[in-house]
């Protein structure tokens, strides 16, 4: 039995009384381990046959697990090859009439759920007349980038849309501004998706999920290109980035900005790719804070569709709001530091951009700032645009015409708190 064999091994290793056998340190450790094992085995009183069965079952389980894992890897690899074949060969190659693109690469589009461990067939894909849908948007990643063809921007000469990165924080008019620009620029108006996330935590997690500047560069290039393909019937096509200061130092975020600078430098040298335009928009931070207070305090929609009188009435009846002052100065300082960081980073990395503001667009008595943006983008009306035409293009209505003094119940307190700071001028702007 196993116990008898272990006892025999112990006797052979045991030294004689006369010291004719001298154990080495290694022998001593082996003797001690074997002795301990025998002691535990005797204490458990486990039958030898049962012990052998347990060992055999464990070995079989390990072998079976390795086999199954290997088979899944093989099936997964076969499926990837098949997906690549579908993309490159089987999808109908009829081009879009406006953009001239053949297919859209997989990671951006919605699709049916596809079992990764079954043979993928062409009929498994939900093919639509305009947009060819292959696999879910998580399929195309940096690690698997070689499985899919790289996306190529459609040249502007072939009516491709202008790619835009829209830098703007929340409660600053981002939705209406972009939709209005898109509509006035021509083609089908499209929104600018918050591709990086909608709040600070999401955006930081997004960038931290990428391991390097190279991955950030690759993502910006591929994703923004995919968006222009998807929005091929628009004159401009873009994504929105809320530029929180705690995300700009991350390697992948730097990779995004460096890719824009590199891409545009190459485009200026005569490349076919259109330049990536960067539009940076700010708003008076006091109005941003008031907007946040208003939407936390009242049960209303965040936006009103143009012409929705009931929604507008609810917003315009909001008064007697209280703006917290205990940390107001620190919030305004944080916003000022963030703006300085964004501007300095863009300039240091050589990223050309156009800076505008909510006040220039919505509190002006002419449409000159709108035309300045169109001149920078290279699309849309650059002369003769009127405010009436701009207002007609609004998808969302302006919800606040009330002055800060009439809107805030503690306006005098706010002014007193800001009087000894560098931000009192914001109450007059």
């Amino acid at each position: 039995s196993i116990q008898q064999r272990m006892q025999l091994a112990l006797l052979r290793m045991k030294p004689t009384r006369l010291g004719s056998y001298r154990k080495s340190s290694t022998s001593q450790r082996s003797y001690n381990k074997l002795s301990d094992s025998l002691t535990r085995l005797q204490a458990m009183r486990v039958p030898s046959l049962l012990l052998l069965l347990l060992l055999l079952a464990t070995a079989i389980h390990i072998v079976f697990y390795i086999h199954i894992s290997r088979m899944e890897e093989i099936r997964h690899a076969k499926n990837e090859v098949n997906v690549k074949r579908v993309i490159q060969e089987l999808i109908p190659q009829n081009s879009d009439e406006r953009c001239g693109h053949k297919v859209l690469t997989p990671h951006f589009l919605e699709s049916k759920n596809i079992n990764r461990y079954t043979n993928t067939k062409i009929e498994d894909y939900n093919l639509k007349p305009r947009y060819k849908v292959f696999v879910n948007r998580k399929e195309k990643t940096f690690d698997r980038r070689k499985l899919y063809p790289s996306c190529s921007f459609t040249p502007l000469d072939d009516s491709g849309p202008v790619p835009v990165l829209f830098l703007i924080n929340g409660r600053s008019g981002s939705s209406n501004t972009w939709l209005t620009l898109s509509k006035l620029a021509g083609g089908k108006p499209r929104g600018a998706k918050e591709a990086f996330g909608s709040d600070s935590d999401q955006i930081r997690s997004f960038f931290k999920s990428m391991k390097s500047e190279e991955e950030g560069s690759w993502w910006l290039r591929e994703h923004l290109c995919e968006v222009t393909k998807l929005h091929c019937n628009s004159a401009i096509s873009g994504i929105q980035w809320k530029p929180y200061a705690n995300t700009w130092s991350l390697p992948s975020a730097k990779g995004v900005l460096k890719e824009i600078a590199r891409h545009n430098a190459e485009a200026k040298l005569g490349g076919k790719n259109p330049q990536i335009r960067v539009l940076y928009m700010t708003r008076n931070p006091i109005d941003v804070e008031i907007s946040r207070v208003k939407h936390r305090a009242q049960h209303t929609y965040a936006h009103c569709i143009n012409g929705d009188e009931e929604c507008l009435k609810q917003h315009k009846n909001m008064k007697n709001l209280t703006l917290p002052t205990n940390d107001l100065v620190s919030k305004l300082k944080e916003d000022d530091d963030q703006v300085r960081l964004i501007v300095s980073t863009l300039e240091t990395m050589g990223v050309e951009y156009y800076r505008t503001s909510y006040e220039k667009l919505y509190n002006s008595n002419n449409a000159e700032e709108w035309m300045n943006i169109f001149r920078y983008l290279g699309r849309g009306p650059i002369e003769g645009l009127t405010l009436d035409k701009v207002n007609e293009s609004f998808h969302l209505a302006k919800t606040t015409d009330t002055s800060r003094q009439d809107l805030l119940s503690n306006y005098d307190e706010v002014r007193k708190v800001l009087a000894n700071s560098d931000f009192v001028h914001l109450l007059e702007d």
Side-chain angles (χ1 to χ4, degrees):
S1 68
I2 294 178
Q3 294 181 8
Q4 291 172 341
R5 293 180 180 179
M6 292 175 69
Q7 289 174 342
L8 181 59
L10 284 173
L11 290 175
R12 291 177 177 175
M13 295 177 65
K14 191 173 182 180
T16 63
R17 293 181 180 178
L18 298 177
S20 58
Y21 170 66
R22 177 181 254 174
K23 296 194 299 292
S24 66
S25 60
T26 303
S27 300
Q28 182 67 52
R29 288 196 298 270
S30 301
Y31 177 85
N32 293 339
K33 288 181 180 180
L34 193 57
S35 179
D36 292 342
S37 300
L38 180 60
T39 302
R40 288 195 298 270
L41 185 62
Q42 289 173 340
M44 293 172 61
R45 299 183 181 278
V46 179
S48 301
L49 181 60
L50 179 59
L51 183 62
L52 286 174
L53 289 175
L54 288 174
L55 292 174
L56 181 61
T58 303
I60 293 174
H61 177 76
I62 293 173
V63 172
F64 182 74
Y65 176 80
I66 294 174
H67 175 73
I68 293 298
S69 299
R70 180 56 182 159
M71 291 300 294
E72 288 183 349
E73 289 178 3
I74 293 173
R75 283 195 292 270
H76 188 186
K78 288 182 178 179
N79 187 53
E80 288 182 340
V81 172
N82 198 28
V83 168
K84 186 175 181 180
R85 181 175 60 85
V86 169
I87 293 172
Q88 294 181 341
E89 300 175 7
L90 299 183
I91 297 298
Q93 298 296 300
N94 51 311
S95 300
D96 184 276
E97 294 178 359
R98 178 179 174 86
C99 302
H101 67 274
K102 295 182 178 180
V103 295
L104 302 180
T105 43
H107 80 291
F108 184 74
L109 300 176
E110 302 288 353
S111 73
K112 297 178 179 178
N113 292 324
I114 299 175
N115 188 342
R116 303 177 71 177
Y117 303 120
T118 59
N119 292 326
T120 307
K121 299 178 181 178
I122 186 65
E123 54 267 23
D124 292 333
Y125 294 94
N126 177 24
L127 300 180
K128 297 181 180 180
R130 295 186 63 80
Y131 302 120
K132 296 79 177 174
V133 184
F134 315 131
V135 291
N136 65 65
R137 65 181 64 193
K138 293 183 180 180
E139 288 292 321
K140 188 174 184 181
T141 62
F142 181 73
D143 294 335
R144 303 176 64 196
R145 62 193 181 281
K146 294 182 180 179
L147 287 173
Y148 306 100
S150 297
C151 183
S152 298
F153 286 96
T154 303
L156 298 183
D157 293 342
D158 295 337
S159 299
V162 175
V164 182
L165 178 63
F166 191 22
L167 299 175
I168 183 170
N169 280 324
R171 315 308 315 162
S172 300
S174 58
S175 298
N176 190 66
T177 300
W178 180 263
L179 287 170
T180 303
L181 290 172
S182 182
K183 185 174 182 178
L184 290 173
K188 187 173 182 179
R190 302 275 190 171
K193 184 181 177 182
E194 296 175 336
F196 304 86
S198 59
D199 58 43
S200 177
D201 292 338
Q202 289 183 6
I203 296 172
R204 186 169 179 81
S205 296
F206 173 85
F207 282 117
K208 289 185 72 174
S209 69
M210 301 183 190
K211 303 301 186 294
S212 64
E213 288 187 5
E214 182 186 3
E215 187 168 357
S217 298
W218 174 87
W219 184 91
L220 185 280
R221 181 173 60 254
E222 290 293 322
H223 190 83
L224 188 53
C225 178
E226 296 293 349
V227 174
T228 63
K229 297 294 188 183
L230 183 63
H231 299 167
C232 60
N233 288 318
S234 302
I236 59 175
S237 179
I239 55 178
Q240 181 180 332
W241 180 1
K242 293 180 177 178
Y244 293 105
N246 64 351
T247 64
W248 278 60
S249 61
L250 297 175
S252 54
K254 292 181 179 179
V256 168
L257 298 176
K258 288 182 178 180
E259 175 60 25
I260 294 174
R262 184 207 63 79
H263 176 96
N264 289 346
E266 185 179 278
K268 285 183 177 180
L269 293 176
K272 294 183 179 180
N273 289 331
Q275 292 188 50
I276 298 173
R277 300 298 183 178
V278 178
L279 180 62
Y280 178 35
M281 180 173 169
T282 58
R283 186 184 185 185
N284 187 317
I286 289 183
D287 292 331
V288 173
E289 292 301 321
I290 292 174
S291 180
R292 288 171 178 162
V293 169
K294 180 173 66 173
H295 293 291
R296 284 197 297 262
Q298 303 290 340
H299 299 289
T300 59
Y301 294 107
H303 306 287
C304 291
I305 302 297
N306 209 2
D308 188 344
E309 297 300 329
E310 183 62 28
C311 180
L312 287 171
K313 183 179 179 181
Q314 292 181 17
H315 276 270
K316 292 181 179 180
N317 286 338
M318 290 183 187
K319 292 183 179 180
N320 298 321
L321 297 175
T322 301
L323 181 63
T325 59
N326 58 326
D327 60 348
L328 180 59
V329 173
S330 63
K331 286 183 177 179
L332 297 179
K333 178 66 166 59
E334 181 180 345
D335 179 83
D336 184 65
D337 291 342
Q338 176 178 281
V339 171
R340 293 175 185 273
L341 174 64
I342 292 167
V343 170
S344 64
T345 303
L346 292 174
E347 293 176 350
T348 300
M349 293 193 173
V351 177
E352 296 182 4
Y353 68 98
Y354 183 82
R355 181 177 176 182
T356 187
S357 69
Y358 182 96
E359 291 72 30
K360 289 181 179 179
L361 292 175
Y362 294 97
N363 297 343
S364 178
N365 57 4
N366 58 59
E368 185 62 30
E369 183 64 11
W370 292 93
M371 290 188 287
N372 285 338
I373 294 176
F374 288 125
R375 293 183 186 108
Y376 169 70
L377 296 177
R379 292 288 172 87
I382 59 175
E383 292 182 358
L385 183 64
T386 64
L387 274 182
D388 289 339
K389 182 66 175 177
V390 172
N391 292 333
E392 289 173 5
S393 301
F394 284 172
H395 177 68
L396 302 175
K398 186 177 180 180
T399 57
T400 302
D401 289 324
T402 310
S403 67
R404 302 182 188 101
Q405 190 167 1
D406 293 333
L407 192 61
L408 296 176
S409 61
N410 65 333
Y411 179 83
D412 292 337
E413 179 188 353
V414 171
R415 173 171 283 279
K416 184 177 180 180
V417 168
L418 297 181
N420 297 323
S421 72
D422 296 330
F423 307 108
V424 66
H425 68 278
L426 295 175
L427 286 174
E428 309 300 334
D429 291 350

